[in-house]
Amino acid sequence: MDSLVSRPVSADQLGAATAAHSLFQVEWAEVSQEPEPSPLWAPVTTPDDVALLPGNGPAVAVMEALGGDEEDAVLTLTSQVLAVLQAWLAEAALEESRLVVVTRGAVAAGGEDMVTDPAAAAVWGLVRAAQSENPDRIVLLDTDPTADTAPDTTPDTSPDAVLGAVLACGEPQVAVRGGALLLPRLGRVAGHVTDGPAVFGPEGTVLISGAGSLGALVARHLVTRHGVRSLLLASRSGTDAEGVPEVIAELTEQGATVSAVACDVSDRDQVKALLAAVPQEHRLTGVVHTAGVFDDGLIAALSPERLERVFAPKVDAVRHLDELTRDLDLDAFIVFSSVAGLSGGAGQGSYAAANAFLDGLMASRRAAGLPGLSLAWGLWEESLGMAARLSSVDRARASRGGVRAIAAAEGMALFDAAAGSGQSLLVPIKLDLRGLRADTASGGGVPPLLRGLVRAGRQPARAADTGDGHRRLSARVAGLAAAEQEAFLVDLVRAEAAVVLRFPGRPGLGPGGSVRPGS
């Protein structure tokens, strides 16, 4: 090497590079599918209906999941769907059958942010998690919400008319719009995403709900980067929340007026009082909602009570903020959602449902001409938000899925890029696409949401097992003493599990399925 020349790179340049490569949107790609006759199917509404199916039921069952305008519509509908899912998945006789969950206007397929049923959007999050845990047993189908308004010109999208084509396409999630089948695919946001108009400024007050590390990060960013002079921090603990006094002192030194108020945002009356207390001389101009809780569990272990616990700081809080600010002239209404609502993280059914509702509600706001943006974040670095509570196993699982952690500066660059985009849903996430492609080339599967970014690789054909391997294993086990057989089989299972989990060896795996420290 004859010479080496380096030049300084600013944090802004790094942030712009991150925003350009890590900001995605959900695109609905049309799939060509010939009309197929509708199979025989049975309607199900309750677990009792499912119990009647084994033995004489058809290969397909259909559950319609339609929400309403009632205050508890989201929890009521998702609880009903949860009960049916649990009954369906528990019935061994239905393993070769398919349950089709039908919604109408639950997702923003077909453009114009058309979501007419945000309660059913939560169902999509819940069912996506069930699909991750139980592949090939459940199909999501969203029908056209405009079909009833123009029956003479709109193709029939009822389950009877499209069910055959939907099942034949082999996709787990399908929306039907104008007779076309659309599939959700993640795609990069095109254009210069950092050139959007600023939505925050020194005039007015910005409400940040949630006093965790993400709320503090946003508060600092709005003051130092956007020049916001008036902040209202709302959380259950108010000034007693961890780190809040330090944030107030730091931002006050920079000339901002920061108020921390104890408010349970899931309580409508408390939210109403909170908004009424905002001074007229610094009217409310923006809302950023960052609060949320985890309560992980597989679909079989969930309950309406567990759904309600997760829904309170997400569904209830944002619904109240939405309803009580619709008459205000806001510049921004941004909610922190999660990619779990789109990808359906296994073991995160309640969390996925809550975040999918936020995605749907923001689409509904945008369609009504109001500001509304849901940011379906990927994995944050360990010190930020609920990512701090993830175990090493959770992080390893995310890494195997091609997801990398977002650092604080990167996250705020993505926040800025998204804030002025004019979209209702964006996905800030760091993806290791090269690793995903390599994994696919070696025979790994591609999640449906990522099939627009990573093509599924061809799997080489394998010779059929003649049974010799099983016979050799049986003979080896039979030749051991009874006390040695169990030890041999446990060691064999641990070795195979270590290969699947990509651990360096079975010492990292406990016999009971636990992961030992340091592995």
Side-chain angles (χ1 to χ4, degrees):
M1 182 171 63
D2 295 327
S3 65
L4 174 66
V5 179
S6 63
R7 60 183 180 183
V9 178
S10 68
D12 287 345
Q13 288 174 303
L14 290 175
T18 297
H21 292 90
S22 301
L23 196 59
F24 298 85
Q25 60 190 357
V26 177
E27 301 169 346
W28 290 85
E30 184 173 349
V31 60
S32 298
Q33 184 65 41
E34 293 297 323
E36 296 280 346
S38 179
L40 293 176
W41 56 273
V44 295
T45 305
T46 68
D48 291 339
D49 297 333
V50 176
L52 297 175
L53 294 177
N56 56 4
V60 178
V62 175
M63 178 185 187
E64 281 197 313
L66 306 179
D69 297 328
E70 298 81 6
E71 184 174 346
D72 60 349
V74 185
L75 181 60
T76 298
L77 183 62
T78 49
S79 296
Q80 290 172 348
V81 174
L82 174 63
V84 171
L85 288 176
Q86 290 173 331
W88 181 267
L89 297 172
E91 192 58 68
L94 297 174
E95 287 185 354
E96 300 302 320
S97 301
R98 296 292 177 270
L99 173 64
V100 181
V101 180
V102 179
T103 59
R104 183 168 60 187
V107 292
E112 299 182 3
D113 297 321
M114 182 59 73
V115 172
T116 59
D117 193 352
V123 169
W124 270 64
L126 179 71
V127 176
R128 280 166 169 159
Q131 290 175 330
S132 297
E133 297 169 18
N134 305 273
D136 303 324
R137 295 201 60 189
I138 311 164
V139 176
L140 273 167
L141 168 60
D142 191 65
T143 58
D144 197 335
T146 65
D148 293 340
T149 60
D152 295 334
T153 59
T154 304
D156 185 3
T157 62
S158 64
D160 262 330
V162 301
L163 194 55
V166 169
L167 293 173
C169 79
E171 288 280 337
Q173 301 159 26
V174 182
V176 180
R177 297 293 186 269
L181 303 188
L182 307 178
L183 311 177
R185 297 289 188 258
L186 211 59
R188 278 200 174 92
V189 175
H192 301 287
V193 294
T194 57
D195 292 344
V199 295
F200 299 102
E203 301 84 10
T205 297
V206 176
L207 165 64
I208 300 176
S209 52
S213 55
L214 287 179
L217 178 65
V218 172
R220 291 186 173 97
H221 184 71
L222 291 180
V223 171
T224 59
R225 175 72 176 174
H226 293 272
V228 173
R229 298 292 90 187
S230 178
L231 285 178
L232 179 58
L233 309 181
S235 68
R236 290 188 176 187
S237 302
T239 54
D240 294 332
E242 183 180 357
V244 167
E246 291 79 6
V247 171
I248 294 176
E250 175 187 335
L251 299 183
T252 300
E253 274 191 19
Q254 299 182 37
T257 300
V258 184
S259 301
V261 178
C263 175
D264 181 356
V265 193
S266 65
D267 185 308
R268 193 178 194 278
D269 291 337
Q270 291 190 39
V271 175
K272 188 174 183 179
L274 174 72
L275 297 176
V278 177
Q280 289 297 320
E281 60 270 22
H282 297 290
R283 68 176 183 85
L284 189 70
T285 56
V287 172
V288 181
H289 182 76
T290 67
V293 296
F294 277 143
D295 186 12
D296 287 356
L298 297 176
I299 292 296
L302 296 182
S303 65
E305 292 74 23
R306 294 183 68 176
L307 289 175
E308 186 175 17
R309 179 176 178 270
V310 176
F311 282 11
K314 286 278 188 184
V315 174
D316 297 338
V318 174
R319 185 164 50 82
H320 297 327
L321 288 168
D322 165 50
E323 293 171 357
L324 295 171
T325 61
R326 287 216 165 204
D327 294 334
L328 304 180
D329 185 19
L330 296 182
D331 297 323
F333 193 112
I334 301 175
V335 298
F336 277 33
S337 174
S338 170
V339 72
L342 299 171
S343 62
Q348 292 186 309
S350 55
Y351 190 64
N355 285 292
F357 170 80
L358 300 192
D359 300 342
L361 184 60
M362 292 305 101
S364 177
R365 281 184 60 92
R366 182 68 67 175
L370 300 169
L373 170 62
S374 184
L375 296 178
W377 291 99
L379 181 67
W380 286 89
E381 65 181 10
E382 292 186 33
S383 62
L384 290 171
M386 289 179 286
R389 305 173 191 172
L390 295 179
S391 67
S392 58
V393 177
D394 294 324
R395 291 188 169 277
R397 181 172 57 195
S399 177
R400 290 195 302 275
V403 179
R404 293 177 174 175
I406 299 172
E410 295 172 328
M412 289 301 92
L414 289 166
F415 177 87
D416 288 345
S421 66
Q423 301 293 315
S424 68
L425 172 62
L426 289 174
V427 186
I429 185 172
K430 288 182 70 176
L431 291 174
D432 179 13
L433 295 179
R434 181 178 297 178
L436 281 171
R437 293 187 185 104
D439 201 34
T440 300
S442 63
V446 180
L449 188 65
L450 300 182
R451 289 174 184 170
L453 299 169
V454 179
R455 290 187 178 183
R458 293 183 178 180
Q459 297 191 14
R462 299 180 180 178
D465 188 355
T466 62
D468 291 343
H470 292 150
R471 284 192 289 270
R472 287 196 299 269
L473 176 60
S474 298
R476 187 171 180 185
V477 173
L480 298 174
E484 297 174 327
Q485 289 178 346
E486 182 178 356
F488 170 75
L489 291 174
V490 167
D491 200 48
L492 176 65
V493 171
R494 289 171 61 199
E496 293 296 326
V499 172
V500 172
L501 297 174
R502 296 185 181 178
F503 287 168
R506 57 182 177 276
L509 288 173
S514 60
V515 179
R516 295 179 178 176
S519 62

